[in-house]
Amino acid sequence: MKTPWNDSALIDAFDADFSALVEFASASACPAGFGYLDADGAITESKGVELWITCRMTYMFALAEMRGVQGVSGLVEHGLDALSTSLHDDEYGGWFSALDATGEQARPVEPIRKEAYAHAFVILATAASYLAGHERGRALLDEALADQDAHWWEPSYGRVANSWNRDWSECEEYRGLNANMHTVEAYLAAFDATGERRWLDRAREMMRFVADLGARFGWRLPEHFDKNWVVCPEMFIENPADPFRPYGATPGHGFEWARLILHGRASLIACGDTPGEWMYDVAHCLVDRADADGWDSEKGGIVYTTDFDGKTVVDTRMHWVACEAVNATLALGKVSEELGNDDDVMVQSERFARYVAWADQVIHAGPGRWIHEVDADGHESETVWAGKADAYHVGQMLLLPRIGLYPGFAAALAQVRAHDHSEL
């Protein structure tokens, strides 16, 4: 069956835009790491240098290096320099969340917090750098993984804590699904880079929690919990448009969890395991719910958040949500192909094509330039995300048609590069 994600013209167009995206993102390099780009691609100095952005950029440049993009190896090294020096807490360990880089020397933003969300991206960046051939990335990866055991992983729950103060003496009582989602992604990358099975097993444990949570809440995933992982569905209702802790359910995270669960499924199969039907079924339920609640059939686009009855709360459309919708339907469609479910392949093909068309028409501003936020009418807005600071979601969307679901992005590209070199 012909599917849109296998169309050679689309894959070639994605390849060309990936190279343009990397060129645009390269302007984010600054002395202390990678900065926050505005809409025109200039660094917003007032935003400082954030750990999660520096890690995501380092990760993207490592992927680009393995994809054969020229001139990015030095940017990977620059990211590793930042993770070794300016962003690294030499006194207490771990990494600073943000730096004020307006003075002669960058310094941590007060009050200093260490966040699971950003530390997950340290793993992602260092794993990809190591797989791209930057040997010192392995030492940083090992340190980041040891830090997971020391401070983040909570064995009694099978999930990670959310944040600490600088000296690790005070753990925030809040627990969040977003940080755990990106930790799943990080642990899958750690498994790819190290071959250590415990990282895959931990990722699966978090996926199983999401499966049970989704079944309880009609596949609208609650994001916020207390320290004992009791759901707090009304938390942050006073600030529904927060970029990291919005009230309600986030359809984009439903798509993203679905993709990650299918990556985990593929990893388990590659290990010789039989992962169980629940992983495909849960991914399907999450995608179905996210599409039903999130897609605006009148104006197009996927809303940012809903309540737990599926009613829209924030109707702003985020670029990352569209990217994850594209990736999730591709992943689900590929697994449906594998299982011989032709009817579902047709469903996911329609969704994939619909999401790609909307993204190309509304948020693709030009080669390598993606508008991060538009309002319900498709006009550029900045209520949640200003500028063009993030290349990570778009970059993975542009790469996924080229690779399978296992191994993950970095390891898959490393395999392709090794194969290409072997034929020279």
Side-chain angles (χ1 to χ4, degrees):
M1 179 183 298
K2 186 176 181 180
T3 56
W5 48 79
N6 290 324
D7 181 80
S8 60
L10 178 137
I11 293 173
D12 289 344
F14 275 18
D15 273 349
D17 202 69
F18 178 77
S19 296
L21 176 72
V22 171
E23 181 179 359
F24 182 84
S26 66
S28 63
C30 61
F34 293 103
Y36 191 109
L37 294 180
D38 66 16
D40 296 320
I43 292 176
T44 305
E45 292 187 3
S46 62
K47 295 278 192 180
V49 172
E50 296 185 79
L51 178 60
W52 68 274
I53 289 178
T54 294
C55 289
R56 285 187 178 190
M57 288 298 184
T58 305
Y59 170 69
M60 287 307 305
F61 295 132
L63 298 187
E65 183 176 4
M66 290 186 283
R67 190 71 192 94
V69 178
Q70 298 299 307
V72 293
S73 179
L75 292 169
V76 179
E77 286 293 320
H78 180 70
L80 295 176
D81 285 341
L83 292 176
S84 302
T85 57
S86 57
L87 284 161
H88 188 267
D89 186 346
D90 294 339
E91 184 174 359
Y92 294 105
W95 287 266
F96 300 121
S97 296
L99 302 174
D100 180 344
T102 56
E104 291 185 5
Q105 185 172 356
R107 59 189 183 278
V109 172
E110 299 283 353
I112 296 173
R113 299 297 303 179
K114 292 173 179 173
E115 299 169 335
Y117 177 91
H119 278 64
F121 286 110
V122 175
I123 297 171
L124 200 66
T126 55
S129 300
Y130 170 63
L131 289 168
H134 299 261
E135 289 298 325
R136 67 184 178 128
R138 181 57 193 259
L140 284 166
L141 173 60
D142 290 342
E143 180 182 354
L145 294 176
D147 181 61
Q148 289 292 312
D149 284 337
H151 300 120
W152 300 107
W153 181 251
E154 297 185 308
S156 59
Y157 294 109
R159 276 150 260 155
V160 296
N162 206 76
S163 77
W164 291 85
N165 64 344
R166 181 179 181 181
D167 66 3
W168 311 103
S169 62
E170 296 178 5
C171 183
E172 183 183 15
E173 294 193 353
Y174 168 81
R175 298 293 184 269
L177 202 62
N178 191 11
N180 279 265
M181 180 181 71
H182 285 292
T183 300
V184 165
E185 179 181 39
Y187 285 0
L188 291 175
F191 169 67
D192 285 343
T194 68
E196 295 178 14
R197 176 61 188 260
R198 63 180 173 138
W199 303 113
L200 175 58
D201 290 339
R202 287 185 184 184
R204 182 192 178 280
E205 190 169 356
M206 287 183 275
M207 294 173 192
R208 183 73 253 186
F209 169 73
V210 166
D212 295 339
L213 184 69
R216 287 171 54 201
F217 286 86
W219 306 108
R220 299 179 182 105
L221 297 174
E223 297 276 344
H224 313 302
F225 306 79
D226 69 14
K227 66 178 181 179
N228 298 314
W229 282 94
V230 175
V231 176
C232 301
E234 299 303 304
M235 189 177 285
F236 305 120
I237 195 169
E238 74 285 352
N239 189 21
D242 189 87
F244 295 107
R245 299 186 184 186
Y247 159 75
T250 309
H253 284 163
F255 286 120
E256 199 164 356
W257 272 109
R259 174 178 64 82
L260 290 169
I261 288 169
L262 293 176
H263 281 305
R265 175 184 180 275
S267 296
L268 289 165
I269 291 172
C271 291
D273 288 8
T274 302
E277 295 181 2
W278 70 268
M279 301 186 88
Y280 174 71
D281 293 343
V282 166
H284 213 298
C285 289
L286 289 170
V287 169
D288 288 347
R289 173 55 66 198
D291 181 73
D293 285 357
W295 178 259
D296 186 334
S297 59
E298 294 183 6
K299 296 183 176 181
I302 301 164
V303 303
Y304 181 37
T305 61
T306 73
D307 65 17
F308 291 101
D309 292 319
K311 181 180 178 181
T312 297
V313 175
V314 178
D315 66 4
T316 310
R317 282 79 157 127
M318 309 297 176
H319 89 294
W320 71 263
V321 174
C323 294
E324 290 302 332
V326 169
N327 282 349
T329 50
L330 182 154
L332 189 56
K334 283 194 170 186
V335 176
S336 293
E337 284 182 293
E338 167 199 319
L339 299 175
N341 187 348
D342 290 346
D343 289 343
D344 191 65
V345 173
M346 293 178 63
V347 170
Q348 304 313 323
S349 293
E350 183 279 326
R351 288 171 174 167
F352 177 91
R354 172 162 37 100
Y355 301 151
V356 168
W358 180 86
D360 189 53
Q361 294 162 14
V362 179
I363 61 173
H364 194 189
R369 294 172 177 253
W370 293 78
I371 298 169
H372 281 25
E373 175 188 321
V374 296
D375 64 20
D377 295 314
H379 301 135
E380 188 169 356
S381 62
E382 296 185 346
T383 60
V384 180
W385 287 112
K388 296 182 174 67
D390 183 25
Y392 149 87
H393 284 286
V394 174
Q396 292 195 148
M397 179 189 74
L398 297 172
L399 289 170
L400 191 56
R402 280 260 177 216
I403 63 175
L405 297 179
Y406 174 82
F409 290 92
L413 292 175
Q415 287 183 357
V416 170
R417 183 170 69 167
H419 177 266
D420 290 346
H421 286 176
S422 70
E423 294 187 344
L424 293 178

